Amino acid sequence: MEVWTMYPWVILGVAISVVLPIVRHALPATPSGALEAAAPPVWVRIWREARPDLALGLFSCIVGLLVLAAMGEQILDWRAALLAGYASDSTLQKLK
């Protein structure tokens, strides 16, 4: 398949890798009612967690394109492209 038909799957893999940690950190740590009243709204917590990861995710899209270019004919279907995107962003997240 063409690189351009695989690249949206790479971007989806990057998106999954970015969204999972954001959701995990945005969830409240304890279900206590007293802490719930003092906690900021969910969208505020999500945005606080998302800002650094979104910038890294954009960079990961470029890295994913480089991975596709390097792998060439070895990426044969959408599953491999999805994993390439997820792995490229996950690796960069661990390096930050």
Side-chain angles (χ1 to χ4, degrees):
M1 291 189 124
E2 292 288 323
V3 171
W4 300 113
T5 59
M6 292 294 172
Y7 191 59
W9 293 106
V10 171
I11 292 175
L12 181 62
V14 168
I16 291 170
S17 180
V18 167
V19 168
L20 285 177
I22 291 170
V23 171
R24 184 189 67 207
H25 290 294
L27 294 174
T30 59
S32 171
L35 291 177
E36 191 73 25
V42 173
W43 294 112
V44 173
R45 289 192 309 248
I46 289 173
W47 180 245
R48 285 180 189 160
E49 293 295 328
R51 270 189 301 195
D53 290 331
L54 290 176
L56 187 62
L58 289 174
F59 182 70
S60 294
C61 289
I62 296 169
V63 172
L65 184 60
L66 294 174
V67 168
L68 274 178
M71 300 280 297
E73 300 289 323
Q74 294 175 349
I75 296 182
L76 301 176
D77 63 349
W78 66 271
R79 294 171 294 209
L82 183 81
L83 287 175
Y86 183 86
S88 68
D89 185 69
S90 181
T91 302
L92 288 176
Q93 284 182 17
K94 287 176 181 41
L95 295 176
K96 73 173 184 176

